[in-house]
Each structure stands twice: as C-alpha cells, then as structure tokens.
Amino acid sequence: MPTTEKTIKMLGLQLPTDPRWVNIVTMNIEEILTDHAYCEQKATSTAISLIVSFPEYTELVQEMVKLVKEEISHFKMVHDLILERGWILGRDRKDDYVLAIIKFFPKGGSRTTQLVHRLLYAALIEARSCERFRLLSEALEDKKLAAFYRNLMVSEAGHYAMFIGFARQYGDRKEVDEKWGALLAFEAEVMKDLSTG
C-alpha cells in the first residue's frame, strides 16, 4: 500500500489532499510558513479554551497544559524559520477549511456533548495537518524544511490520537464513533469543494 494510502487509512481520512496543493505550496514557502505559524497559534488557543471551558476534566486539563507548551514552541520554531529567511510574519487569513468543518455539529447540547464535538473537531484538524505535513516532508527540496515537517507530522499524529482518545473516553464510545464517521464523510466533501473552488 503506498504511503499516502497508509497515512489516510491510519488517520481515518476519506480523501487525500489534492496533489496540486503541494505544488502551490512549494512555490510559495513564505505564505505556507505564515499560515502554519497561525495554525500553531490557533492550536495553542484551542488547548487553552478547553482548559477554560472544561476545568472539571482533570486529565484533559493536564494534557492541554502540555499541549499549550508544545504548540507555542512550534509557533516559535515556525516564526524562527520565517525570520531566518529574512521575512516577517504576515497577517492571518481566514481558514475556509476550518470555517466549513466547525459548522458540522449542531450548537448546544449537554456539556459532555459540546466537549466531544470540540474534541472531534480538534482530532480531525490534527489528522489533516499530519497528512499535509507528510506531503510537505516528501515534496520540499529544502532538506531542513522537509525534516522539520517530518518531525511535526509525528507530533500531529500524536495529537490526533490524544483528541480522539479523549472523545471516546468522555462520550459514549458507539455514539462518538458514529459521529466521527459522519464528520469524516463531511470533511471529504469539504475537501472536494475546496479543491474545485
């Protein structure tokens, strides 16, 4: 089984990233590094938000504290790469992918339901990041950047597993898995729309 298919299967994703995305990225490293820096910043914010919103989930809080430290260190690493190249951090741009994904689950419900939904969103975003970092690690001619993205790919895979694990721990396993399957199917449609838009 080719590496792409293995990665997709391992992460549960139903559709690989359009190969044209990699071609666009390799021609505009400055833009991808800026986008990546903001993704790390948003991941930090997500972890902090989960601590603030669900303080009674002690194990989650402990892991989110670790994640805040890790994600902000990743932000610094990306920012340092930007500065090394003589660039500055650009402005944040709206993320059409995330904006589309987070509309899937209905608002409201019990605190547990809200938590599970947020954990599943986080798991999905980490899974897609992992898949894209693998693509970058294989496509980039810049060896330093390629190695950087390979290391982050492993990190994102761990985050995906953590978030999906917490969702299954705090919610009803059967129901969580059904929601996860539905979210993955929805995400595949979003990926199709974005690749043809």
Side-chain angles (χ1 to χ4, degrees):
M1 186 185 291
T3 312
T4 299
E5 288 180 29
K6 279 185 184 172
T7 305
I8 290 288
K9 188 171 182 183
M10 179 188 82
L11 298 168
L13 300 171
Q14 296 185 5
L15 193 72
T17 293
D18 188 322
R20 291 174 296 179
W21 175 81
V22 180
N23 298 333
I24 292 165
V25 164
T26 54
M27 291 186 289
N28 200 343
I29 297 300
E30 183 175 0
E31 190 173 293
I32 192 62
L33 286 175
T34 289
D35 284 348
H36 181 185
Y38 283 109
C39 286
E40 297 294 354
Q41 191 184 86
K42 288 165 189 168
T44 305
S45 297
T46 294
I48 292 170
S49 176
L50 285 168
I51 293 169
V52 172
S53 300
F54 303 98
E56 69 271 30
Y57 291 88
T58 303
E59 188 181 351
L60 177 69
V61 170
Q62 291 287 80
E63 289 303 315
M64 290 304 100
V65 170
K66 292 180 196 171
L67 189 60
V68 167
K69 293 176 181 175
E70 184 180 345
E71 299 287 24
I72 204 65
S73 75
H74 289 172
F75 171 80
K76 183 179 183 334
M77 288 161 67
V78 180
H79 191 236
D80 287 347
L81 285 171
I82 291 169
L83 298 181
E84 278 175 21
R85 285 161 170 72
W87 302 325
I88 59 169
L89 181 63
R91 299 292 295 273
D92 190 14
R93 299 180 304 167
K94 73 172 183 167
D95 189 328
D96 292 328
Y97 170 80
V98 172
L99 290 173
I101 293 301
I102 61 171
K103 292 176 182 170
F104 181 68
F105 292 122
K107 301 286 184 195
S110 68
R111 280 177 61 70
T112 302
T113 297
Q114 292 173 42
L115 172 60
V116 165
H117 291 172
R118 287 177 64 177
L119 291 169
L120 291 178
Y121 286 143
L124 179 57
I125 291 166
E126 296 285 355
R128 183 56 71 185
S129 293
C130 177
E131 185 248 2
R132 288 190 159 183
F133 288 170
R134 185 194 66 74
L135 290 175
L136 290 175
S137 74
E138 294 174 355
L140 292 172
E141 291 181 11
D142 182 319
K143 297 302 178 193
K144 180 177 179 179
L145 265 187
F148 174 69
Y149 278 110
R150 179 154 294 281
N151 288 334
L152 285 188
M153 173 192 78
V154 175
S155 178
E156 302 296 272
H159 298 164
Y160 149 74
M162 176 185 65
F163 281 121
I164 195 77
F166 274 132
R168 288 168 173 158
Q169 178 181 330
Y170 295 135
D172 175 80
R173 174 64 187 260
K174 184 171 182 290
E175 187 179 312
V176 168
D177 285 348
E178 285 172 359
K179 287 182 175 184
W180 178 237
L183 181 60
L184 288 169
F186 175 74
E187 194 257 5
E189 293 304 314
V190 169
M191 291 293 288
K192 278 184 201 168
D193 290 344
L194 290 177
S195 68
T196 57

